[in-house]
Amino acid sequence: MIGQITLNLSFGLYLFFLWPQIFHNALRKSTQELSLSMHLILFVAYLSDLVYGVGRQMPWQYKLVTLSGLICLSIQQLQFNLYAKKSFRFINIFVLICALFCLYALFAPNLPKGVFIYAGIISQLGWLLYALPQIYRNAKESSVVGLNFYFVFLAFIITICDTISAWSLHWDWPSKIGSPLSLLLKLILLFQFAHYSKTKK
């Protein structure tokens, strides 16, 4: 019962958790202190998730979350291009190549099942590790000014829900282990908010 509740809650939160960061970037008119590596890892994770979700015939909620995330990350990609003082041509080409590869995987006939399994593995790794580049950048600059607190807080709540769902609903071991590890990284980000806010005063 509790696993189903947390599953539904995380579904709703996944649809919106990227928006606070997008608004944060727009208000500051800057993405300077936001980790581009984190953004790209999330982009690849979502693209891989789309391939996995379609290829493995996941429920419509799963696909809706993925499409919502890709829309948000596409907007953020535009923000990186608009607000940055340097060219992101090679990054744009990288994102385009990844997107085209995913489109091919979605529409190519008779692809082996392993392609979709590997896409799922890439997605899981991305979800597990995406916070690491931002943690490093925050520590290097002793600041969290480029990151939105509500984006991190929602990601933290989602990961708690995913952890409860994974164990309550008897998901596979990667989900049971990956979610708590990912939760640890979100805790580090929240600690950085508390720590660097104090040092500013």
Side-chain angles (χ1 to χ4, degrees):
M1 179 68 178
I2 188 170
Q4 199 61 49
I5 292 170
T6 54
L7 183 64
N8 291 331
L9 179 59
S10 61
F11 162 66
L13 293 177
Y14 267 121
L15 293 174
F16 301 106
F17 94 106
L18 290 166
W19 283 107
Q21 185 62 50
I22 290 170
F23 289 129
H24 185 75
N25 300 339
L27 287 171
R28 295 180 65 241
K29 290 186 168 39
S30 173
T31 53
Q32 189 175 347
E33 295 85 3
L34 183 65
S35 170
L36 179 61
S37 298
M38 178 180 74
H39 169 76
L40 291 176
I41 290 171
L42 273 173
F43 224 130
V44 171
Y46 268 106
L47 285 170
S48 302
D49 226 7
L50 182 63
V51 173
Y52 175 76
V54 173
R56 300 296 292 157
Q57 299 179 339
M58 299 297 282
W60 66 268
Q61 293 96 328
Y62 191 101
K63 298 169 191 172
L64 180 61
V65 163
T66 306
L67 288 172
S68 172
L70 285 171
I71 289 168
C72 290
L73 289 169
S74 298
I75 293 170
Q76 190 163 267
Q77 183 73 20
L78 287 173
Q79 289 178 323
F80 270 103
N81 283 278
L82 284 171
Y83 303 141
K85 296 175 182 176
K86 58 183 179 179
S87 171
F88 282 97
R89 182 181 302 169
F90 292 111
I91 302 299
N92 293 333
I93 292 171
F94 170 76
V95 169
L96 181 61
I97 289 171
C98 289
L100 289 174
F101 176 78
C102 288
L103 282 173
Y104 171 77
L106 288 172
F107 294 107
N110 303 320
L111 278 179
K113 178 182 172 183
V115 170
F116 303 110
I117 298 299
Y118 282 122
I121 292 170
I122 291 169
S123 174
Q124 285 294 318
L125 284 173
W127 280 109
L128 175 62
L129 301 174
Y130 77 86
L132 277 176
Q134 189 67 52
I135 290 170
Y136 172 76
R137 180 153 194 169
N138 294 344
K140 184 180 176 183
E141 299 180 2
S142 299
S143 172
V144 288
V145 68
L147 198 60
N148 182 268
F149 172 79
Y150 295 105
F151 160 66
V152 176
F153 182 71
L154 287 175
F156 174 70
I157 298 299
I158 287 169
T159 311
I160 289 175
C161 291
D162 284 347
T163 302
I164 295 170
S165 298
W167 285 91
S168 299
L169 301 175
H170 309 292
W171 290 354
D172 292 335
W173 280 105
S175 297
K176 289 181 177 179
I177 296 170
S179 292
L181 289 175
S182 181
L183 185 62
L184 177 62
L185 296 181
K186 308 305 187 308
L187 279 169
I188 293 172
L189 282 174
L190 289 173
F191 170 78
Q192 287 181 323
F193 269 100
H195 178 66
Y196 296 131
S197 296
K198 280 182 183 178
T199 55
K200 265 189 167 184
K201 293 179 181 177

